[in-house]
Amino acid sequence: FKLTTVEEMEAATNRLLETGAKVGADAWQIRVKNQTPHCKFGEQGICCRICAMGPCRITPKAPRGICGCDAHGIVGRNYLKFTAGGAATHSDHGREICHTLYAADPNGAYKVKDPEKLIRIAKEWGVETEGKDIYDLAHEMAELALMEYGKPFGVQRWLKRAPEHTQKLWHDAEIEPRAIDREVAASLHMTHMGCSSKPEALVRQSLRAGLADGWGGSMCGTEFSDVLFGTPKPIDTEANLGVMNAENVNIVVHGHDPSLSEMVCEYADDPEMIAYAKSMGAKGITVSGVCCTSNEVAMRRGIPMAGNFLQQENVVLTGACEAIVVDVQCIFPALGPLSKCFHTKFITTSPIAQMPDSDYIRFDVGTAAEKAKQIVMTACENFKNRKPDLVYIPDMKQKATVGYSLEALVKVLDGVTNSQVDVTGTTKPLLECVTSGVIRGAVAMVGCNNPKIRPDYAHIEMMKKLIANDIVVVASGCSAQAAAKAGLMDKSAKDLCGAGLKRVCELADIPPVLHMGSCVDISRMMILVSELAKDSGLKISQLPVVGCAPEWMSEKAVSIGNYVVATGIDTFLGVDPYVSGSSEMGEWLTNGVRDWVEAAYTVETDIDKLCDLMIERIEEKRTAIGI
Ligand code: NFS
Ligand code: SF4
């Protein structure tokens, strides 16, 4: 067993960029150079253009904007706007899932695959389930969930899943999220010209908007995706560009909403479609994924992962991609012009993400089956347009076991306990491993790639160091894909662990880096820490657990960071969220918020240091609770 190194991945990318150069393709590697150095005002967050008296930027000579706002107010408003963008995005994805659930039909494209989970949530929400048709219940629950977005009174239903102590902290700090849309709108109201410019207030609302995401919209996305498409269970798959198959029609799904990708996978598996692909000269159809959509279908169907965020152009550069089919979020507009350099069809499907140089096949729940079929057929028909001399698929892939939903995790860990039966079905076996010191703690590794950090390097190197130190890693989003591409989700990666974690991996038959899903699935991690706190009697903030986004880039990541911190988990960032221009904002985020939620941010762009700081924090937490 051997990990794939970042150097090997970079060599493969360079080879693909040569193909790109041949056909005159642009690439992010080139555009980064053109954009460097970045604007210093933007980098520090001290540029304001929210009204037409500006734009204003803060300098020693001009310490206030025209309205009199200082650097702290400008940085604070920018930070809150950034958060609101992320919270809106995750939550709107969640809303789409609720609409899909509302359209679930035993004879239609979307079915209820996990009725048990639906009933469990219904009971949690106080909805009568007895004697109710499961589809009637699905529609009722979908409507209730949709109300969470706009209800005039009350706070998010999901908050009740948190330990009471956490709920009280939220209440006392006045950051319990009300209706999801309200928190987004209130954030945009607060950041309008002439509203809030006090960092404390802006940070408070940032946490609240973040919580509306993680304990609202994202949780809806995760939970109802499980109801519709099945709760993930451990499943074997493969990762990296080598999962594409030169002899097959390659369809790459990219984006976030599983409603589309599930249907594409369904049809790509249809014997009629496979026969169609063969009639076009291919041997079959290979669906692979990029970004979070890939995580969704990998966890539920074992669909292989072609790559993560900064690898999206690479799939086209293979010259073997018949169609890259996208829904929403994290899609490079570059894919339009890039696909024109090849035979690739760039298919956009959502009114939310429309791009030039794409074929727009509008996808909606009512016509899902028909449109998915159309997309698969379009890809098959495109096979004959391939230019064989441009085809190069790097021979690079790793095995991965993915699909560790909370439910699955609890189940596999039952295998590691040697004590009484009554601890099964809880997080107690995991707690036992942690308190005994066999596992020192856990890190939630999440987030994107960002050219500011050598792509995947931070994710992979940190994970290697953590597991060697007996710290188990749960991963999601593009971080999870970095791990899978490197081989860290292969069960054999246990050999890279310290003796304690290795033993747990063997007993539970798990890899040391556990794939918990897409970025909306970080809500799973929130439930996991809540359960750990309840089962141990500790506060969440006392658990030897931290969060880390070493290569993050999106607004969504900041929204996530805010709810992870607000849930009581110290969060470590490898990229600064444009706040370095305000000492007060820096102070609030890295220290001040601790008074409200018992956790805060650490920002450190030196990745080695960042990792050491996390290990230190975990050990500090252990000492503090006497384990
Ligand atoms: Ni998360 Fe998923 Fe990846 Fe970053 Fe984008 S795909 S929602 S935002 S880039 S991890
Ligand atoms: Fe300038 Fe104030 Fe307008 Fe911002 S709100 S652009 S700081 S005048």
Side-chain angles (χ1 to χ4, degrees):
F1 170 74
K2 193 186 152 293
L3 290 183
T4 303
T5 65
V6 172
E7 286 76 13
E8 286 165 331
M9 293 188 217
E10 285 166 347
T13 298
N14 289 338
R15 171 67 179 76
L16 290 169
L17 289 173
E18 281 170 27
T19 316
K22 246 189 261 170
V23 296
D26 194 10
W28 67 258
Q29 289 86 345
I30 300 168
R31 296 188 298 271
V32 165
K33 289 200 182 112
N34 296 341
Q35 287 293 342
T36 311
H38 296 281
C39 165
K40 288 280 171 256
F41 298 97
E43 248 176 5
Q44 295 173 52
I46 49 174
C47 166
C48 182
R49 49 171 296 276
I50 64 168
C51 94
M53 294 192 287
C56 300
R57 42 191 212 178
I58 301 302
T59 64
K61 229 179 72 207
R64 288 180 186 269
I66 292 169
C67 66
C69 192
D70 64 9
H72 311 298
I74 291 174
V75 170
R77 286 194 303 227
N78 286 339
Y79 185 81
L80 176 53
K81 263 188 194 295
F82 213 88
T83 303
T89 304
H90 273 149
S91 299
D92 210 36
H93 161 179
R95 182 190 339 250
E96 287 298 320
I97 297 295
C98 295
H99 279 293
T100 306
L101 184 66
Y102 190 76
D105 178 342
N107 306 310
Y110 296 103
K111 312 214 166 40
V112 172
K113 283 213 185 133
D114 193 341
E116 251 172 62
K117 183 153 186 172
L118 177 65
I119 291 168
R120 183 149 52 87
I121 301 169
K123 287 190 174 145
E124 196 183 318
W125 283 10
V127 172
E128 185 54 55
T129 58
E130 219 50 56
K132 217 174 256 172
D133 176 79
I134 199 72
Y135 282 85
D136 289 340
L137 183 63
H139 304 151
E140 188 180 341
M141 289 297 289
E143 206 169 336
L144 280 177
L146 286 164
M147 293 300 178
E148 289 298 290
Y149 286 79
K151 63 185 185 185
F153 306 109
V155 297
Q156 286 301 297
R157 286 173 182 271
W158 298 119
L159 304 188
K160 293 230 163 43
R161 290 181 162 190
E164 269 170 33
H165 173 73
T166 308
Q167 293 185 47
K168 182 162 184 312
L169 290 177
W170 293 338
H171 183 78
D172 293 348
E174 284 187 59
I175 55 172
E176 291 167 294
R178 300 156 293 182
I180 298 160
D181 291 347
R182 179 175 184 180
E183 298 308 349
V184 173
S187 301
L188 295 182
H189 188 176
M190 285 177 78
T191 54
H192 188 273
M193 191 274 150
C195 284
S196 290
S197 51
K198 188 168 150 189
E200 176 183 342
L202 294 163
V203 169
R204 207 186 281 274
Q205 180 60 22
S206 299
L207 297 186
R208 197 173 204 176
L211 286 170
D213 169 355
W215 288 85
S218 275
M219 210 168 273
C220 286
T222 294
E223 295 296 82
F224 296 119
S225 290
D226 283 358
V227 168
L228 280 164
F229 307 120
T231 304
K233 295 191 207 59
I235 186 169
D236 291 336
T237 186
E238 290 176 328
N240 222 337
L241 286 170
V243 303
M244 294 174 72
N245 184 329
E247 294 179 323
N248 285 358
V249 170
N250 284 296
I251 302 176
V252 177
V253 290
H254 175 11
H256 287 77
D257 183 343
S259 304
L260 167 74
S261 45
E262 278 284 330
M263 282 301 126
V264 171
C265 293
E266 195 75 39
Y267 278 93
D269 226 15
D270 186 293
E272 191 195 326
M273 287 296 109
I274 295 170
Y276 193 60
K278 287 184 176 156
S279 76
M280 296 290 155
K283 287 220 164 125
I285 303 174
T286 296
V287 182
S288 60
V290 171
C291 283
C292 281
T293 266
S294 174
N295 287 316
E296 300 274 0
V297 288
M299 295 226 297
R300 297 199 178 90
R301 292 173 176 266
I303 297 290
M305 302 188 269
N308 48 358
F309 182 60
L310 283 182
Q311 206 156 306
Q312 58 182 289
E313 289 174 292
N314 290 14
V315 299
V316 178
L317 288 169
T318 61
C321 174
E322 274 57 56
I324 180 159
V325 189
V326 304
D327 50 85
V328 290
Q329 303 168 27
C330 302
I331 301 146
F332 272 8
L335 293 178
L338 177 61
S339 61
K340 291 278 175 281
C341 299
F342 292 86
H343 74 302
T344 305
K345 295 260 183 217
F346 175 41
I347 302 177
T348 49
T349 60
S350 166
I352 297 285
Q354 304 184 51
M355 296 192 190
D357 297 315
S358 68
D359 294 345
Y360 184 43
I361 301 182
R362 185 167 175 167
F363 186 85
D364 53 59
V365 284
T367 55
E370 178 192 317
K371 293 294 172 70
K373 198 168 168 184
Q374 185 190 345
I375 289 167
V376 174
M377 288 176 77
T378 304
C380 292
E381 287 154 12
N382 199 23
F383 185 78
K384 59 179 185 302
N385 297 324
R386 239 194 228 182
K387 300 185 186 85
D389 51 322
L390 292 181
V391 173
Y392 170 73
I393 300 175
D395 178 22
M396 184 175 275
K397 61 179 173 184
Q398 285 279 5
K399 282 195 241 149
T401 306
V402 300
Y404 293 95
S405 59
L406 177 62
E407 290 87 338
L409 200 57
V410 165
K411 209 162 171 194
V412 293
L413 287 169
D414 273 346
V416 303
T417 180
N418 41 19
S419 45
Q420 328 79 310
V421 189
D422 72 325
V423 298
T424 62
T426 70
T427 63
K428 282 184 182 161
L430 180 56
L431 279 167
E432 253 180 41
C433 297
V434 175
T435 46
S436 65
V438 173
I439 296 179
R440 304 301 295 173
V443 174
M445 289 286 286
V446 307
C448 331
N449 300 126
N450 184 329
K452 286 179 182 164
I453 308 279
R454 188 177 174 190
D456 292 339
Y457 186 78
H459 290 298
I460 294 169
E461 290 307 309
M462 290 172 98
M463 289 180 196
K464 277 161 59 182
K465 188 159 183 180
L466 293 168
I467 62 173
N469 280 283
D470 287 325
I471 294 168
V472 67
V473 175
V474 291
S476 68
C478 290
S479 183
Q481 292 174 320
K485 286 194 299 175
L488 288 163
M489 287 177 170
D490 186 324
K491 287 176 185 168
S492 308
K494 70 176 191 305
D495 293 336
L496 306 170
C497 299
L501 181 56
K502 182 176 178 185
R503 183 89 191 107
V504 174
C505 289
E506 277 165 355
L507 284 171
D509 192 27
I510 53 172
V513 178
L514 296 164
H515 191 298
M516 277 199 110
S518 63
C519 292
V520 292
D521 292 338
I522 296 171
S523 59
R524 297 188 200 277
M525 300 180 186
M526 298 303 100
I527 310 170
L528 171 62
V529 290
S530 296
E531 292 304 306
L532 285 166
K534 289 182 208 165
D535 287 342
S536 65
L538 294 166
K539 297 170 185 170
I540 291 177
S541 60
Q542 291 177 303
L543 300 168
V545 172
V546 301
C548 180
E551 305 182 22
W552 73 272
M553 63 83 205
S554 75
E555 291 173 317
K556 290 179 286 176
V558 170
S559 178
I560 292 169
N562 287 336
Y563 75 71
V564 174
V565 166
T567 302
I569 302 166
D570 285 324
T571 298
F572 293 73
L573 303 179
V575 178
D576 172 64
Y578 298 147
V579 297
S580 64
S582 161
S583 53
E584 287 183 25
M585 278 299 292
E587 171 61 20
W588 273 108
L589 295 174
T590 58
N591 193 25
V593 293
R594 204 174 280 284
D595 287 343
W596 305 334
V597 293
E598 301 174 349
Y601 281 106
T602 299
V603 182
E604 175 55 68
T605 49
D606 178 328
I607 293 307
D608 280 336
K609 250 193 227 160
L610 188 69
C611 195
D612 291 340
L613 287 170
M614 289 201 293
I615 298 174
E616 248 169 63
R617 188 66 50 87
I618 285 174
E619 291 301 330
E620 270 168 32
K621 285 182 185 274
R622 295 187 63 92
T623 310
I625 54 172
I627 57 171

